[in-house]
Amino acid sequence: MHTFTLAGRTVRRIGYGTMQLAGPKAMGEPADPERAKAAVRAAVDAGVRLIDTSGYYGPEVANRLLAEALRPYPEDLLIATKVGARRSPDGGFVADAAPEAVKAAVRENLAQLGVERLPLVHARFMPDSTVPWADTVGALAELRDEGLLEHVGISNVTLELLDQARAVAPIASVENEYHVGHTGGRDVLDATTAAGLPYLAFRPLGNGALAGENSPLAKQARQLGVSAATLALAWLLDLAPNVAVIPGTSNPAHLADLVAARELALPSDVRAALDEA
Ligand SMILES: NC(=O)c1ccc[n+]([C@@H]2O[C@H](COP(=O)([O-])OP(=O)(O)OC[C@H]3O[C@@H](n4cnc5c(N)ncnc54)[C@H](OP(=O)(O)O)[C@@H]3O)[C@@H](O)[C@H]2O)c1
C-alpha cells in the first residue's frame, strides 16, 4: 500500500521534511536558496503530498522557502508543522511549551506559510519542558476548537506521553525518530500500528548516515540495484501500513532515490538482515 489516511486525507507514505532547507544544523539561510526551493518542488513533482516542517527551522527560513517554492499550494498537499520548541542561541533546541507560547507558534506558522488553517500540528515533547504535557497538548486542542488547526499530533513521545495526550484530545499522528540505526521506542510504533494511528518516522536516513556510498546498507542496496537511501526508506515502509517517512534533502537530484522506495518490494532475507543489524 503506497498510501495511508492522515489528518483526513489520503496521502502517499513517502513525505518530505524541510529541515535541510535552512542553513547548516537548520540555522539561518541556506547557501543556495534557489536550489533549496528546487528540492521542494522536485518533491511535489515526484508525487510527495506530505511535507513536515516547523517555524523553528531557521527559524522561519524553512517555512518561508517552502511557501515561496509552492504557493499556491497544490490542493491535495498536507503540510504538517510542529511547535513546542525554539532555537537556543547555541544552535540547539529548547522547550517552548507553555500554552501561550504554543499558541503563538501556531499563529507564526500560519503567517509564515500563508494559510488560514493548518491541517496538522504536532506538539513536540521536549524533556527540558517544565510545563505539564497535558497543558501543551491542550493548547493545541483549544486552537483546533477555534478553527486555527484541524488535527493535533504529537512528536518525540513515549508510550506514557502518548496515553496522556490521548486523554486530553484525539491524536491524529505520532512523529518519532525511527530508522535502521535507531529502533528505540518500538513500543510506541507498535502501539500506533495496533491503534491504526499514523506514525511519521522522522530522520529516516539517520540524518544522512544511512544514505550514500558509505552507508552500512550500501552493499545490500547494490545487490538489489537500488541506492542505500531507497533501501533505508523501503525498510521503514515495510514495517507497518501506518508508517510514513519524511526524509529531508536540499538536493533536487536526490528526490528520485527517495520516492523510489515505494516501488521496492523488500526480499524477506534482506528484511531479516536489516532487522538483525
Ligand atoms: N519531530 C522532530 O523532533 C524532528 C527531528 C528531526 C527531524 N524531523 C523531521 O525529519 C525530517 C528528516 O530529518 P533530517 O533531514 O534531519 O534527516 P534525514 O532525512 O534522515 O537525512 C537527511 C540527510 O540525508 C541526505 N540525503 C537525502 N537524500 C539522499 C540521497 N538520495 N542520497 C544521499 N544523501 C541523501 C541529505 O543530504 P542532501 O541535502 O545532500 O540530500 C541530508 O544530509 C526533517 O526535515 C524534519 O522534517 C523531525
Side-chain angles (χ1 to χ4, degrees), residues 17-20 52-53 56-57 82 124 155-156 175 202-208 211-212 229 246-251 254 257-258:
T18 65
M19 205 166 109
Q20 303 293 335
D52 179 72
T53 189
Y56 55 68
Y57 294 156
K82 287 181 292 297
R124 173 182 166 163
S155 180
N156 296 70
E175 179 177 316
F202 79 65
R203 211 173 277 149
L205 302 173
N207 202 19
I246 46 171
T249 179
S250 57
N251 185 347
H254 280 167
D257 257 5
L258 305 181

Side-chain angles (χ1 to χ4, degrees), residues 129-216:
S129 175
T130 54
V131 178
W133 176 234
D135 292 357
T136 303
V137 176
L140 289 188
E142 284 176 23
L143 292 188
R144 186 204 52 203
D145 294 344
E146 289 172 27
L148 293 190
L149 59 98
E150 289 176 45
H151 295 272
V152 177
I154 51 175
S155 180
N156 296 70
V157 292
T158 59
L159 212 45
E160 192 184 353
L161 291 167
L162 170 60
D163 288 341
Q164 285 176 18
R166 293 181 99 183
V168 174
I171 297 301
S173 60
V174 169
E175 179 177 316
N176 271 9
E177 180 169 8
Y178 206 86
H179 50 78
V180 174
H182 181 105
T183 54
R186 179 69 195 225
D187 54 346
V188 179
L189 171 54
D190 289 341
T192 62
T193 304
L197 181 61
Y199 180 101
L200 312 188
F202 79 65
R203 211 173 277 149
L205 302 173
N207 202 19
L210 299 173
E213 285 305 306
N214 296 325
S215 164

